[in-house]
Each structure stands twice: as structure tokens, then as C-alpha cells.
Amino acid sequence: MVKLSGLDIGIIIAFFVISLVVGLWVSKQSGKSSEAFFLSGRNMPWWLLGVSMVATTFAADTPGLVTELVRQNGVSGNWVWWAFLLTGMLTVFFYAKLWRKSGITTDLEFYELRYSGKAASFLRGFRAIYLGVIFNIITMAGVCLAGAKIATILLGLSQEVALFYASIIVVIYSSLGGLKGVLITDFIQFVIAMVGSIWATIYIVDLPEIGSMDALLTHANVSGKLNMLPDFSNSEALITLFIIPFAVQWWSTWYPGAEPGGGGYIAQRMLAAKNEKHATWATLFFNFAHYALRPWPWIIVGLASLVVFPNLESINAAFPNLNPEMQGDDVAYAAMMTYLPAGLIGIVLTSLIAAFMSTISTQLNWGSSYIVNDFYNRFINKQASEKQKVFVGRLSTVLLMLCAALFSFQIKSAKDVFDLLLQVGAGTGLLFIMRWFWNRINPYSEIAAMLISFTVAIVFFVNGKLASPWFEIAGYWQLIIGVCVTTIGWVFVTYLTSQTNQDTIARFEAVVYGKESKFKNFGFKIAAFVLGIIATYSFLFATGYFIYGELLKAVLLSFTALFCSAILIKFWKKIV
């Protein structure tokens, strides 16, 4: 526990006040209609939407997850999420434009635009509960647990107390301001979060326990964990950290913020954009910032934690009051923050609170948009007034937060949630990519994929929680099994059931493609996809090599990033 100075407390209170003022300021405008509440009138600029996407993926559990990966597998451990860049670039160049042109309110409306019949209606309603409630609660529970761990280590608060106070504030401004309130506060929160994480990293590297960047990089506990690529002679690490993410994970799994073909809160922001160009730019900025701009401060702190807390025992000894259920490598990030001085700890704590609130507020607004538009207004009260829909949206916001806080007591770490979400979405990704282009896919394909993947995930999750598991299977084999069983299952159902009628498909294609062929400029889009990936990874690695002091590699990669970006700009009119 750290002792907060008056300056620290003042910074935190000021942030809370600003967040509440923003919620109150936009509440009247956001309360006019459900479209204003959930899409901000569809006139948002790309830079605000892009920053909001980045801020949302900077959750309270993100620094902890990166720290855990670095401590256990070194810098290369981050490939389990770096590989999702391929998913993101696929969305940028193939799907962002299509989502915005669809003109729908939530991505679940897609089902009744693309498919026909009662099965399409059932799919829309079922997915509203499946994603907006079940999946959403699991995601938020991981963020709640991370927030509680930070509050326990830095403030000495119990999980119950920390979540009680945090939930009240985030629910108030989320329920009042709608998406516009979320977007504005996201921008503020992102600035604070980046300043806090970079400043804290610089201070920690200069701690007497560490000495300098050179001392850190040459320390015995750290020097073997600096490689950005996994050890190719270690088959276990190569498979789990590199081969599975690139060969299987990025295209086959549905994960919040990295949905194949776009979806969730990413789709919500694309739908809120001024036009297709703003939707594409927003998504491109998000992927660059998320993968290339932001990770290194967390990675450096993770490496520094290996010097100060070389193992779990040293962390547990330093924080003896930490609940045994909360112990793990992911708490090392918060543990390192206890070394910060007055003033800076206030900024960093505010940045972590901001990260928590940004993600939770987005998940709440996104989840309630499903409940209102795709369940309540579609199936329960088709004649609901705009005021009724906004009221249900605000009520569902409160209930989702309560359920997420309660479920957070059933999980142990950010990695647990990451693995569970990957498993739940395993095998569904290819369907989400293909449904825009392969007309044979129908609502039964999606229902089968969803039910099979969820059943497989629950079997593995329950088995892992048992004191004596029926069988033990490595995590990457669980993912492969889930992908194979689910993919075979939904493809089989696709051919076993009837295709969507041609009139519905024709109307769908007229809306999203107009008179153009769905494969227009496909070659340019593939080239842009590859160039975007190379440019982003090059910038990510160049930053790392600058930090490592390997200037030749850093300069060459920087030129590679610039060269690919220049070609991408030249192709731009062929893409958007």
C-alpha cells in the first residue's frame, strides 16, 4: 500500500469530476434517441473513434497481462496477442467500409440484413444475450479483477470495496452520456494513460535497484528474455507463442477488439463514423497505435519487475495481505508502481483508473446496445418509444456492471480470461470472414458455430477447475481442438441446411456493395493488408531496437515502415 499525498488525491478527484461533468454535459443530447445514445448521431470523426478504440483496449488488466507474458516467456510471449494484428488489418482493408455502408445500428442487425426467416431473427436475439450479456460479463469480470488487484496493492482496498466505488462512478457517466460521453472521456483517459505509463517507466528504470536501461538489459534475470522472436530451438515455446497464433488463432477465433471481419465495440465505432473513409481511417489508426505505439512501456516495466521481484515468492512476501486468489505474475505491474513518488503515483493511479473506466464504459454501452436494439425493441416491445429504449439501456448498464463485478470473484488472472475468451470464440472466426463473400453461409451456420464453440470451451473450463481433472490437455491443443471441432461442425451444418433466399442476398449486396463487384480491387486490398502488417511490425520492432541500443536494426526497420506506408498511401484511393 502506498500513502497518497494531497496532490495525488487531488489528481484522482479531478479526473472523477471531469468524467462526471462530461457525462452530465452530453446526457441531454444522448438521451434524445437510442441512435444518439448508442451511435452519437453517426457523425464522429476518425481520430476520436480511433483513440476510443485504443483507449478501450487499454484496460486495467492489459498492463498486468503483458507483464505476466514477459515474466513467463520474455518479450516474445507477446506474440499471443501481437498476431491479432493480422485480424485487425483484415478489418481495415476489407470490412470497415462495408460495415459503415450497411447503415445498421448494431452489428447484430447484420443477421436480418444478410439472412432471412425466423432463424435469422432467432440468431439476432440469441447473439444479443450471448455476446451482450454472457461474453460481455466475462470480459468485464477480467477488467474488474485487474482493477481490484491494483486497488489492493496500491491502496490497500479489498476487492469488494474497490469494485463498489469504481462501479458507481463508471455506471453514472456511462448511463448518462451514452457513446458520445464514452468517446470524449476515452480521449481524456487515453492521454492520461499514455503519459502515466511512459513517465512511470522512465522513473522505474532509474530506480537504484535497477540503475539504468543498460543495467536492466544486461541483468541476469532479464538478458535471456529480450528476444522479440521466440527461441526456434524450443519447440514448446515456438508452437504456443508463434505457430499457433499465426497459423490458427488470428483467423479462427473471436476475441473482443480483434474480431475477424470486425464486430463488437469496434463495429459500433465504425458505424458511428461520419462516412466510410472515417471508419477506415479510425480502424487503421487503432491497429497501428494498439500494436506498435503502446506496448513498450508495459514491456519495460515487466522486465524491470524481474529484477525487483524475481519470482512469485518475492511478490507474495512483499504483499503478505494479498488474497491468495489474487496472487500471480500479473500483479507485478501494480507492485512496481508502489516505488513511484508522490505526484507521479497520483498520475499513474489515475491512468490505471482511466484504463479501467474506459474499457468498462465501452463494454457497458456496447452490451446495452445489444440488449435494447437486438432483444428488447426487436422481440419484447417493438413499439417502444425512444425514452423507453434509453431507459432500458441505462438499466441494463447497471445490471451488467453488477454481474461483472460478482463474476470477477470466480477468476484468478488476466491470462485466465484471455485464454477463456479465446476458447469460447475458437472456430467461429473463419465464418465471420467468409459470410460477407460466401453466399452459402446461413443463420444455422452461425448458430452451430456459436453453440459448438461455447460447449467445447465450457467442457475445458470446468475440467480445468476440477481438483482432479478428467483429462489434462495443453492450452494450445485445447484451442486447436476447439477450432477443428467448431469449424467442421458449422461447415457441415452449412451444407446440410438451406441457403438464404436470393432476394435477401441481393438486397444485402445492393446495400453494402452497391453496383460494384464484391471483389473490386481485391488485389490492391490484399497488397494493402500485407503492407499494413509489415509497416506496423517494423515500427514495433524498430522501437524495441532503439530501446535496446541496436541502432542499425532500428534504422533499417524504420525505413521499412516508412517505405510500406508510402506505398499504402499511394494505393489508398483503390482501397476506400
Side-chain angles (χ1 to χ4, degrees):
M1 178 179 174
V2 297
K3 292 183 179 180
L4 299 180
S5 67
L7 177 60
D8 297 323
I9 295 171
I11 293 171
I12 295 170
I13 292 175
F15 170 72
F16 284 146
V17 170
I18 291 171
S19 298
L20 291 174
V21 167
V22 169
L24 291 169
W25 176 48
V26 301
S27 62
K28 186 175 181 180
Q29 184 179 356
S30 297
K32 288 181 179 179
S33 68
S34 57
E35 184 172 283
F37 190 80
F38 295 120
L39 291 180
S40 302
R42 300 185 192 271
N43 63 354
M44 293 293 103
W46 68 267
W47 57 268
L48 185 60
L49 294 170
V51 168
S52 178
M53 293 179 191
V54 183
T56 297
T57 51
F58 182 178
D61 59 339
T62 314
L65 173 62
V66 172
T67 300
E68 182 176 2
L69 293 172
V70 169
R71 287 176 63 87
Q72 293 180 356
N73 299 295
V75 175
S76 64
N78 288 283
W79 280 109
V80 297
W81 67 276
W82 281 348
F84 277 128
L85 172 64
L86 277 69
T87 315
M89 286 300 175
L90 198 71
T91 300
V92 172
F93 298 113
F94 289 90
Y95 300 101
K97 181 179 178 180
L98 303 182
W99 278 114
R100 184 59 184 86
K101 288 182 72 173
S102 71
I104 54 183
T105 302
T106 69
D107 58 317
L108 296 190
E109 283 187 40
F110 173 91
Y111 296 120
E112 291 189 295
L113 179 66
R114 167 66 174 78
Y115 308 126
S116 59
K118 292 183 179 179
S121 300
F122 169 80
L123 178 60
R124 179 180 174 183
F126 187 84
R127 289 281 286 183
I129 302 303
Y130 178 75
L131 290 180
V133 178
I134 298 174
F135 222 92
N136 200 18
I137 286 172
I138 294 173
T139 303
M140 289 193 295
V143 179
C144 287
L145 176 64
K149 288 184 177 184
I150 292 169
T152 299
I153 289 177
L154 296 182
L155 302 176
L157 299 178
S158 67
Q159 186 171 354
E160 295 85 353
V161 172
L163 291 178
F164 176 76
Y165 287 113
S167 299
I168 289 176
I169 295 171
V170 74
V171 164
I172 289 174
Y173 86 79
S174 298
S175 60
L176 286 176
L179 181 61
K180 189 170 185 178
V182 171
L183 294 176
I184 294 172
T185 51
D186 273 356
F187 185 84
I188 298 169
Q189 290 162 355
F190 175 71
V191 173
I192 296 172
M194 288 304 297
V195 170
S197 64
I198 294 172
W199 194 353
T201 302
I202 293 171
Y203 184 89
I204 285 171
V205 168
D206 288 334
L207 285 172
E209 292 86 344
I210 295 171
S212 66
M213 182 61 73
D214 288 339
L216 172 64
L217 298 177
T218 55
H219 193 279
N221 294 352
V222 173
S223 58
K225 294 183 177 289
L226 298 177
N227 289 334
M228 293 179 228
L229 293 174
D231 182 359
F232 282 61
S233 65
N234 184 337
S235 59
E236 182 77 10
L238 183 62
I239 291 172
T240 57
L241 302 179
F242 204 73
I243 293 177
I244 295 300
F246 273 98
V248 179
Q249 182 179 297
W250 75 269
W251 58 265
S252 66
T253 60
W254 190 101
Y255 186 81
E259 302 88 345
Y265 59 80
I266 300 298
Q268 183 188 32
R269 280 149 179 74
M270 291 188 284
L271 293 168
K274 289 182 177 181
N275 52 43
E276 297 92 56
K277 290 184 178 180
H278 280 265
T280 305
W281 272 112
T283 317
L284 179 59
F285 174 80
F286 158 62
N287 280 281
F288 172 77
H290 179 53
Y291 294 100
L293 193 63
R294 195 174 51 185
W296 280 104
W298 304 331
I299 293 172
I300 297 302
V301 172
L303 293 172
S305 73
L306 289 166
V307 177
V308 181
F309 303 106
N311 49 45
L312 281 178
E313 290 72 20
S314 59
I315 298 177
N316 298 337
F319 303 96
N321 295 326
L322 189 64
N323 188 323
E325 293 298 314
M326 288 187 172
Q327 294 173 359
D329 283 308
D330 59 332
V331 304
Y333 187 88
M336 293 300 296
M337 297 302 106
T338 61
Y339 285 82
L340 301 181
L344 180 53
I345 187 62
I347 294 174
V348 170
L349 189 54
T350 300
S351 75
L352 294 172
I353 294 170
F356 170 85
M357 293 174 64
S358 172
T359 302
I360 292 294
S361 63
T362 288
Q363 297 290 146
L364 290 174
N365 185 269
W366 165 64
S368 63
S369 75
Y370 282 3
I371 294 169
V372 172
N373 290 296
D374 303 298
F375 189 77
Y376 172 74
N377 190 45
R378 178 65 182 82
F379 298 101
I380 297 177
N381 186 1
K382 294 184 178 181
Q383 306 302 319
S385 67
E386 293 299 324
K387 286 187 176 180
Q388 286 176 313
K389 287 188 279 188
V390 171
F391 171 77
V392 173
R394 287 171 171 163
L395 177 62
S396 61
T397 296
V398 176
L399 295 177
L400 286 171
M401 185 70 241
L402 177 62
C403 292
L406 293 174
F407 187 66
S408 70
F409 289 89
Q410 305 303 313
I411 51 182
K412 293 188 68 174
S413 75
K415 189 65 166 56
D416 279 353
V417 177
F418 181 82
D419 291 339
L420 177 59
L421 291 176
L422 280 184
Q423 192 66 58
V424 170
T428 62
L430 185 61
L431 185 152
F432 297 136
I433 292 171
M434 296 296 294
R435 64 186 183 181
W436 294 83
F437 301 100
W438 187 23
N439 292 343
R440 191 68 183 77
I441 291 175
N442 60 53
Y444 298 104
S445 311
E446 301 225 16
I447 292 169
M450 184 169 44
L451 293 178
I452 295 170
S453 65
F454 187 76
T455 301
V456 173
I458 291 301
V459 168
F460 284 132
F461 181 75
V462 172
N463 181 65
K465 289 292 182 181
L466 295 175
S468 300
W470 307 324
F471 51 88
E472 293 187 14
I473 301 178
Y476 65 88
W477 276 116
Q478 292 182 24
L479 184 67
I480 292 173
I481 291 170
V483 168
C484 291
V485 171
T486 302
T487 303
I488 291 170
W490 73 255
V491 171
F492 179 76
V493 169
T494 297
Y495 283 106
L496 195 66
T497 52
S498 301
Q499 183 177 336
T500 297
N501 70 66
Q502 292 301 311
D503 289 341
T504 300
I505 292 175
R507 284 194 298 271
F508 165 73
E509 293 186 347
V511 170
V512 298
Y513 300 113
K515 296 181 180 180
E516 297 178 349
S517 166
K518 67 175 71 175
F519 298 107
K520 181 182 178 182
N521 292 329
F522 216 72
F524 283 102
K525 292 178 180 178
I526 292 173
F529 168 71
V530 174
L531 288 167
I533 292 169
I534 295 173
T536 305
Y537 280 144
S538 295
F539 190 91
L540 171 68
F541 298 149
T543 305
Y545 284 123
F546 272 121
I547 293 171
Y548 291 176
E550 299 183 35
L551 297 184
L552 179 59
K553 291 180 181 179
V555 170
L556 289 175
L557 285 167
S558 297
F559 275 117
T560 302
L562 291 172
F563 178 74
C564 291
S565 299
I567 300 176
L568 192 58
I569 291 171
K570 188 174 182 179
F571 284 172
W572 196 254
K573 289 184 179 179
K574 298 285 187 180
I575 301 165
V576 180

